[in-house]
């Protein structure tokens, strides 16, 4: 090759390099910018719909499932604040049905005026003593194991009321009139009355059957809106999570840098869940500040925290899952730190393999080397399936699934050993003993 040919090739290479640099520095075409913009919009929509999808799943699981609701509320039966609030309410309701005249009903007509006059000044202390007796009886009852059974029954009734208000289904002690959901407390009064009689307050047996009720939801307009919203959430309880996944997938497919888009989308979904958690924290303060003065604040705090317990769990699950996906996508990237982490990973496992002297483990090592990509994807698929079939997973469950997946990937990396090539024997290589070698000699 002459010098002119070399100079020509060098000029051609320089021209090609200049073209490539110009292409890289040139602004992306309009269609590419449109796709990138649309990908950003899809990521934002996924982040916005994440809190709504979590609330939809929680609403359908809690309000739509009586057993789930009762299981959620069951721990409150052992909550001291709730027990104290129930005892106070029961004491007030029972004392409204007891007075001094009931205690004097067995006195003869001749002696009644004299005894009434004698007890006139002591009616206050007598009433106070009766209140203490009733309250003590109620406290013993709510502290017993029998209260847990009654509490479950009350919550089943309450759930039936909410379900009837929101879906139109239900019956029994539930009444929905003029947009109000009312609970008939006659069964509760009967249980408390019998407990008081067993404790020695026989005058409680004279309390008639009281068909009193409490309103748990009111206002026709509010009830109608709540019913519409709940039905919509029920219908979207499985659609919204699917829409979020489709939005994330669409954003990744439209983006120019798909791995970066996946990381961004996963972080956006996690942030959306954390925003819901912040809203629950703020809503708790607003709810407690709006309570009437006669409502026990500690008991209301316990009830609120119990009701949204699984909603908070769902927030943690989505946040941890988003963080795990973002971290996994980042570790698979070409970044310097990601390469350093992968290098440390493979180097550490390789050092363990060398220290143990395992070698290629026969045919297993070469087979794992050939099937490594499929095995890695199988581990990821199994982790996803386990997460999907797990009944109400928690953030800890997601973390442990990720840890188990990492351990499985470590085993694959440990077993990955390519087959050693057959090296030709050199002139000074020792010959193996055997019949074949003897024939060769």
């Amino acid at each position: 090759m002459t010098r002119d040919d070399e100079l020509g090739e060098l000029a051609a290479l320089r021209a090609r390099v200049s073209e490539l640099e110009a292409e890289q520095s040139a602004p992306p075409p309009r269609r590419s910018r449109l796709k990138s913009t649309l990908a950003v919009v899809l990521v934002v929509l996924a982040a916005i719909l994440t809190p709504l999808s979590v609330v939809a799943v929680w609403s359908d699981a809690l309000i739509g499932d009586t057993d789930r609701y009762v299981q959620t509320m069951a721990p409150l039966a052992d909550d001291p604040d709730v027990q104290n609030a129930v005892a106070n309410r029961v004491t007030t309701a029972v004392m409204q049905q007891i007075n001094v005249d009931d205690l004097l009903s067995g006195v003869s007509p001749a002696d009644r005026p004299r005894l009434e006059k004698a007890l006139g000044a002591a009616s206050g202390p007598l009433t106070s003593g009766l209140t203490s007796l009733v309250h003590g009886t109620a406290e013993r009852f709510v502290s017993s194991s029998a209260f847990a059974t009654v509490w479950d029954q009350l919550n089943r009734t309450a759930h039936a009321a909410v379900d009837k208000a929101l879906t139109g289904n239900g019956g029994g002690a539930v009444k929905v009139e003029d947009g109000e959901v009312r609970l008939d407390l006659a069964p509760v009064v009967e249980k408390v009355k019998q407990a008081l009689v067993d404790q020695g307050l026989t005058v409680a047996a004279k309390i008639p059957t009281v068909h009193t009720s409490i309103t748990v939801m009111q206002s026709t307009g509010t009830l109608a809106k709540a019913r519409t919203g709940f039905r919509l959430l029920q219908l979207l309880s499985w659609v919204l999570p699917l829409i979020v996944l489709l939005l994330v997938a669409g954003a990744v497919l439209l983006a120019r840098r798909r791995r970066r888009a996946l990381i961004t989308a996963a972080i956006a979904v996690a942030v959306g869940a954390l925003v819901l958690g912040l809203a629950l924290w703020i809503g708790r303060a607003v709810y407690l500040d709006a309570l009437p003065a006669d409502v026990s604040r500690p008991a209301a705090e316990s009830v609120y925290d119990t009701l949204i317990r699984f909603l908070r769990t769902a927030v943690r699950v989505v946040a941890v899952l988003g963080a795990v996906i973002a971290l996994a996508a980042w570790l698979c990237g070409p970044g310097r730190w990601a390469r350093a982490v992968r290098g440390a990973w493979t180097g550490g496992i390789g050092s363990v393999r060398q220290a143990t002297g395992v070698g290629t483990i026969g045919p297993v090592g070469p087979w794992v080397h050939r099937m490594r990509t499929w095995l890695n994807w199988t581990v990821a698929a199994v982790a996803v399936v386990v997460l999907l079939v797990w009944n109400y997973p928690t953030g800890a469950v997601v973390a442990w699934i990720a840890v188990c997946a990492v351990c499985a990937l470590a085993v694959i990396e440990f077993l990955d050993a390519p087959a050693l090539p057959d090296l030709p024997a050199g002139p000074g290589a020792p010959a193996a003993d055997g019949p074949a070698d003897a024939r060769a000699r």
Side-chain angles (χ1 to χ4, degrees):
M1 179 180 294
T2 64
R3 181 174 178 81
D4 293 337
D5 294 336
E6 294 178 354
L7 293 176
E9 289 185 1
L10 181 59
L13 290 175
R14 288 176 177 175
R16 182 56 180 165
V17 170
S18 300
E19 291 178 1
L20 293 176
E21 290 178 351
E23 291 179 359
Q24 292 181 355
S25 60
R30 181 180 180 85
R31 187 174 181 180
S32 179
R33 291 199 302 269
L34 180 61
K35 286 185 177 181
S36 299
T37 303
L38 184 56
V40 173
V41 172
L42 294 181
V43 169
V44 173
L45 288 177
I48 293 175
L49 290 180
T50 295
L52 187 58
S53 63
V54 173
V55 173
V57 173
W58 170 79
S59 300
D60 182 65
L62 187 65
I63 302 179
D65 188 343
T66 302
D67 293 334
R68 179 70 170 173
Y69 176 83
V70 173
Q71 179 185 0
T72 301
M73 300 296 289
L76 289 175
D78 298 324
D79 189 280
D81 295 325
V82 174
Q83 290 178 349
N84 186 56
V86 171
N88 291 337
R89 287 295 183 91
V90 169
T91 300
T92 301
V94 172
M95 287 303 300
Q96 290 177 350
Q97 303 294 329
I98 299 178
N99 53 48
V100 177
D101 292 336
D102 293 327
L103 297 176
L104 302 177
S105 59
V107 180
S108 63
D111 296 332
R112 185 181 181 92
R114 180 174 58 84
L115 292 176
E116 287 180 350
K117 182 178 180 181
L119 292 174
S123 59
L126 179 59
T127 302
S128 177
L130 284 175
T131 302
S132 299
L133 177 61
V134 173
H135 192 270
T137 303
E139 282 185 333
R140 285 190 294 272
F141 174 73
V142 298
S143 300
S144 66
S145 59
F147 176 66
T149 303
V150 176
W151 179 256
D152 288 346
Q153 294 173 353
L154 289 176
N155 279 285
R156 286 189 180 276
T157 303
H159 183 272
V162 175
D163 184 60
K164 184 169 184 177
L166 296 176
T167 65
N169 301 321
V174 183
K175 298 180 180 179
V176 180
E177 300 175 355
D178 301 327
E180 294 187 348
V181 181
R182 301 170 184 169
L183 299 182
D184 186 359
L185 298 181
V188 180
V189 174
E190 289 298 321
K191 290 183 178 294
V192 173
K193 182 176 67 174
Q194 184 60 45
L196 290 173
V197 172
D198 295 340
Q199 293 294 328
L201 190 63
T202 56
V203 69
K206 299 181 180 180
I207 298 177
T209 301
V210 180
H211 287 282
T212 185
S213 63
I214 59 174
T215 301
V216 296
M217 189 178 299
Q218 61 183 355
S219 177
T220 305
T222 303
L223 182 59
K225 293 178 181 179
R227 180 179 299 173
T228 303
F230 175 71
R231 292 300 298 164
L232 182 60
L233 288 176
Q234 273 192 320
L235 294 175
L236 298 179
S237 60
W238 65 273
V239 176
L240 280 176
L242 180 60
I243 292 177
V244 172
L245 292 177
L246 293 177
L247 290 173
V248 171
V252 172
L253 293 176
L254 290 174
R256 296 177 60 194
R257 300 178 178 179
R258 294 180 176 177
R259 182 178 289 106
R260 180 175 297 182
L262 178 59
I263 296 173
T264 303
I267 294 176
V269 169
V271 170
L274 294 177
V275 169
L276 175 59
L278 179 62
L280 293 176
W281 178 70
I282 296 175
R284 183 180 188 271
V286 174
Y287 163 74
L288 294 176
D289 291 341
L291 289 174
D294 59 341
V295 175
S296 172
R297 185 182 179 92
E301 291 177 351
S302 300
V303 172
Y304 181 88
D305 293 338
T306 300
L307 277 174
I308 66 170
R309 178 179 57 178
F310 291 105
L311 187 56
R312 286 174 172 168
T313 300
V315 168
R316 289 192 288 267
V317 168
V318 176
V320 173
L321 183 60
V324 169
I325 293 175
L327 179 61
W330 175 77
L331 288 174
C332 295
R336 183 181 64 178
W337 289 104
R339 292 198 308 269
V341 172
R342 292 198 303 270
W345 167 268
T346 56
I349 295 179
S351 300
V352 173
R353 188 192 301 115
Q354 292 177 1
T356 55
V358 173
T360 60
I361 319 179
V364 176
W367 180 84
V368 171
H369 182 72
R370 293 193 306 270
M371 304 295 294
R372 176 175 177 173
T373 301
W374 288 101
L375 291 175
N376 290 339
W377 279 108
T378 300
V379 170
V382 170
V384 172
V385 171
V386 171
L387 180 62
L388 292 177
V389 301
W390 196 287
N391 190 22
Y392 300 110
T394 62
V397 170
V398 175
W400 276 112
I401 291 176
V403 169
C404 292
V406 170
C407 292
L409 294 176
V411 172
I412 294 174
E413 180 68 27
F414 181 82
L415 298 177
D416 182 8
L420 297 176
D422 295 332
L423 299 177
D433 295 334
D437 295 325
R439 288 195 300 269
R441 289 194 295 267

